[in-house]
Amino acid sequence: EAGVAQSPRYKIIEKRQSVAFWCNPISGHATLYWYQQILGQGPKLLIQFQNNGVVDDSQLPKDRFSAERLKGVDSTLKIQPAKLEDSAVYLCASSLLQDPTGNTIYFGEGSWLTVV
Amino acid sequence: LAKTTQPISMDSYEGQEVNITCSHNNIATNDYITWYQQFPSQGPRFIIQGYKTKVTNEVASLFIPADRKSSTLSLPRVSLSDTAVYYCLVGDHTGGFKTIFGAGTRLFVKA
């Protein structure tokens, strides 16, 4: 079974520039997550989709971050304009909608962003 | 969501058994306990999950006492490759699938 795919793997941009990350979840997984992980910290949930609807985006800095999942499969996370503090790993993850525990989540390898 | 508390770091030697305890005093009736492992430069990986008593798989065991206010991840005979961060999570889908990670426990396995 193919895992969660993310691209690009690494990105370096200057502050105030924009960047976009792409994610393709595991086939059949209705729930998709974007996490931000700053070095030395645990992953922080930015946004959670159920199919193509947003379940939770309470920690998404909406003035600069946006995410979409138009057809309920792939998703894109965009940052515009980027700030130095956005330097982090952006992790995409997915899970089955029917998972009663809500905690069996499969992660991609992440997209590493450095803002200079 | 139940808040979890774990030790920040632990050291061990190869071949030893490692037990990492997580406290979750406010765990709800429907909550499950899940542990993840994260290596540098990789996303977290599911290790084990349980609701009560003991769960064992090919990687680890999870011990959950009757009151469920804590849980212990047990890694038998660790090797250098078990050096990683281990996260304990509690929750269930009734909270809207919200899954929140804490800072985790950094395990260092020495030769």
Side-chain angles (χ1 to χ4, degrees), chain A residues 44-94:
Chain A
K44 168 188 163 185
L45 180 66
L46 292 177
I47 189 167
Q48 180 177 328
F49 293 93
Q50 208 152 288
N51 295 308
N52 59 351
V54 175
V55 173
D56 180 13
D57 63 357
S58 57
Q59 298 199 86
L60 186 72
K62 298 180 184 64
D63 58 334
R64 298 183 301 105
F65 287 64
S66 64
E68 59 183 13
R69 193 185 184 197
L70 293 177
K71 296 183 179 180
V73 181
D74 294 7
S75 177
T76 302
L77 175 70
K78 296 179 181 178
I79 307 174
Q80 181 179 13
K83 292 186 176 181
L84 296 177
E85 58 261 36
D86 297 333
S87 294
V89 180
Y90 291 87
L91 295 162
C92 180
S94 67

Side-chain angles (χ1 to χ4, degrees), chain A residues 9 37 40 48 97 100 103 105, chain B residues 36 38 41 93 96-97 106:
Chain A
R9 190 83 166 91
Q37 187 171 28
Q48 180 177 328
L97 179 64
N103 282 340
I105 300 175
Chain B
Y36 285 83
Q38 186 176 26
S41 305
H93 73 290
F97 289 95
R106 282 159 177 75

